[in-house]
């Protein structure tokens, strides 16, 4: 059974940093894209950052220069380093793994940035 297990969320003050991790287990093969999405109350889920198996990245404009996505293909793990956090970054963050014939989501981890 495929599982995406996220960790690293929490409460941080404005300007602080957090590092999210998402480990994929359960015999999944050939992951193409991995990404982080977020959803704040009353808002739609939005893409924060994504990375291909070749290392190409894509970021939401509002996080460019502050967030960095990376992945360890050998460990099937994706990371999101979040610096200079702002209250508007507060949301539940979800990990996604996509292959040729599947999409899997994690359960989400709460990130709260206090002002």
């Amino acid at each position: 059974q495929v599982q995406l297990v996220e960790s690293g969320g929490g409460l941080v003050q404005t300007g602080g940093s957090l590092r999210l991790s998402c480990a994929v287990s359960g015999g999944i093969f050939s992951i193409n894209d991995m990404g982080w999405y977020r959803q704040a109350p009353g808002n739609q889920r939005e893409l924060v950052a994504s990375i291909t198996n070749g290392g190409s990245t894509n970021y939401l404009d509002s996080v460019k220069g502050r967030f960095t996505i990376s992945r360890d293909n050998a460990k099937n793990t994706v990371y999101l380093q979040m610096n200079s956090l702002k209250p508007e970054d507060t949301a539940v963050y979800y990990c996604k793994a996509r292959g040729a014939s599947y999409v899997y989501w994690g359960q989400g981890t709460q990130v709260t940035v206090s002002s």
Side-chain angles (χ1 to χ4, degrees):
Q1 182 177 356
V2 176
Q3 285 188 311
L4 277 65
V5 179
E6 297 135 335
S7 60
L11 173 64
V12 65
Q13 291 185 334
T14 296
S17 297
L18 287 173
R19 188 188 192 217
L20 305 183
S21 299
C22 173
V24 183
S25 63
I28 195 170
F29 298 100
S30 300
I31 300 174
N32 293 336
D33 303 323
M34 299 189 76
W36 289 96
Y37 289 69
R38 69 186 182 188
Q39 187 167 18
N43 290 353
Q44 291 187 329
R45 191 173 296 189
E46 62 181 356
L47 173 66
V48 177
S50 64
I51 184 167
T52 68
N53 56 6
S56 297
T57 58
N58 181 47
Y59 293 94
L60 180 69
D61 282 347
S62 62
V63 309
K64 286 180 180 177
R66 301 188 297 122
F67 291 9
T68 302
I69 189 170
S70 61
R71 65 188 280 180
D72 184 332
N73 291 332
K75 296 181 179 180
N76 278 346
T77 300
V78 64
Y79 307 94
L80 186 67
Q81 178 67 44
M82 304 186 295
N83 299 328
S84 302
L85 282 160
K86 304 175 181 180
E88 51 264 43
D89 295 319
T90 295
V92 178
Y93 284 69
Y94 298 90
C95 171
K96 186 179 90 169
R98 187 182 67 85
S101 59
Y102 60 80
V103 174
Y104 292 108
W105 290 90
Q107 80 286 353
T109 185
Q110 177 70 46
V111 171
T112 303
V113 185
S114 64
S115 57

